[in-house]
Amino acid sequence: MDILSKITPAETLLLKYGSSAELKDLMKYTFMDLLLKQVIKIDKVDRKVHPNDKYIRSYTYIVAGENLKKYKYNKHELIFLSPFLKSKSIQILFKNYFKMVFDLSKGSWSYKKLVRSSENIYPYFKSHFWAKLFRAIILTDKGALVRNDIVAYLNDLDRGIDKLMHDDKQKGLEVLLRIGGNVFLLKNLDFEFFKNIDKSFISHQKTLTNNSDDTYIYWWVYSDDDNFDNVFDLISGGFDDVLESFDSEFDANSCSSWDNDSSGCNSCDGCGGCD
């Protein structure tokens, strides 16, 4: 399905759920998609806090990825990338990074507007007075048809992905590679199989992508052959760990009133999300 090769997971979720799309999911899968494309990356460092310290501690940083310079980012991705666009050498502690991202998102409605503004999906949404007044994400008739097609395609793919990978692994990989970061939205995909993927297959796929105007939609085009192992380690080994860490930091930095207000958290009455 061509549109899934052009849109990010957040854009897919907004088309699918509209106003009901969860802020946590929109941001979480945007983060995972940027990791997949190696626009940003996770860097773990073991060191002593002080030279005389007896213990070595592990620190997790978010840093610029190899492909940041050539990546054509969307507005909803900019809040994840802005510090690295100013300084590619900056390192941000995982916890501090997510507090920054949450603050920059300015809440659910503001972030949904950023996602909706993408040129790939903007024509599918209505933009009139009542939609703005009630902070509603409303699809046009054409947008509803596109959403139905996306939902049907992903549901069919999810139901048949195990059989497809078993019966025709090459065809299965072609499908998964083409939908890019939307693979993270599949519930039944066993990410362990990426550990045994044939890297030469992806190298061959890169040679088939000749249209330079379209290359930005394929995540593997961004990757040098030497970097494939890092990408697949993330997908097959670190996917669950990263999602769990994201959920933990999101819950620590948000509360219900913050999530529903465009200007941030105005009041926390024991929710524990704000300091």
Side-chain angles (χ1 to χ4, degrees), residues 120-181:
N120 291 318
I121 64 170
Y122 185 77
Y124 300 132
F125 294 98
K126 295 181 179 179
S127 181
H128 52 60
F129 173 77
W130 295 110
K132 294 177 181 178
L133 179 63
F134 293 103
R135 295 181 176 181
I137 306 293
I138 303 174
L139 290 167
T140 63
D141 291 342
K142 185 176 181 180
L145 292 175
V146 171
R147 177 202 56 201
N148 293 341
D149 287 344
I150 288 175
V151 170
Y153 181 84
L154 288 178
N155 285 344
D156 288 344
L157 182 59
D158 223 357
R159 284 192 293 267
I161 190 61
D162 281 345
K163 186 175 188 305
L164 180 61
M165 294 304 300
H166 181 267
D167 294 346
D168 192 341
K169 189 172 183 178
Q170 179 168 325
K171 183 178 179 180
L173 287 173
E174 289 176 356
V175 171
L176 295 178
L177 290 174
R178 188 164 182 80
I179 67 173

Side-chain angles (χ1 to χ4, degrees), residues 207-266:
T207 64
L208 299 180
T209 308
N210 297 320
N211 189 335
S212 60
D213 291 334
D214 291 338
T215 55
Y216 75 95
I217 65 178
Y218 303 109
W219 67 263
W220 70 82
V221 173
Y222 287 102
S223 302
D224 295 330
D225 292 348
D226 293 339
N227 293 329
F228 286 149
D229 287 338
N230 294 331
V231 175
F232 294 127
D233 284 345
L234 166 69
I235 297 176
S236 60
F239 178 69
D240 290 336
D241 290 340
V242 174
L243 288 185
E244 184 177 343
S245 297
F246 184 100
D247 287 341
S248 176
E249 292 301 328
F250 185 97
D251 294 339
N253 285 281
S254 64
C255 60
S256 58
S257 57
W258 177 86
D259 182 54
N260 291 309
D261 187 86
S262 63
S263 60
C265 183
N266 290 328

Side-chain angles (χ1 to χ4, degrees), residues 23 27 99-111 113 135 253-269 271 273-275:
L23 175 62
M27 297 182 68
K99 186 178 188 313
M100 175 203 73
V101 169
F102 298 142
D103 289 343
L104 289 175
S105 74
K106 298 181 180 180
S108 182
W109 171 241
S110 289
Y111 193 68
K113 286 195 296 182
R135 295 181 176 181
N253 285 281
S254 64
C255 60
S256 58
S257 57
W258 177 86
D259 182 54
N260 291 309
D261 187 86
S262 63
S263 60
C265 183
N266 290 328
S267 64
C268 280
D269 191 14
C271 74
C274 303
D275 295 329

Side-chain angles (χ1 to χ4, degrees), residues 72-87:
K72 298 179 181 179
Y73 55 81
N74 295 293
K75 290 181 180 179
H76 68 278
E77 297 170 318
L78 181 58
I79 65 172
F80 291 86
L81 305 178
S82 56
F84 308 114
L85 294 173
K86 296 176 182 177
S87 173

Side-chain angles (χ1 to χ4, degrees), residues 19 38 49 55 115 130 133 152 181 186 201 230:
S19 299
Q38 300 181 67
V49 176
Y55 304 101
V115 178
W130 295 110
L133 179 63
L186 299 177
F201 171 78
N230 294 331

Side-chain angles (χ1 to χ4, degrees), residues 34-42 63-71 88 222-224 226-228 230-231:
L34 292 172
L35 286 176
L36 179 66
K37 294 171 180 172
Q38 300 181 67
V39 182
I40 55 175
K41 66 180 181 179
I42 294 174
V63 300
E66 290 83 357
N67 300 317
L68 175 65
K69 185 176 181 180
K70 53 189 173 183
Y71 184 64
K88 292 182 176 59
Y222 287 102
S223 302
D224 295 330
D226 293 339
N227 293 329
F228 286 149
N230 294 331
V231 175

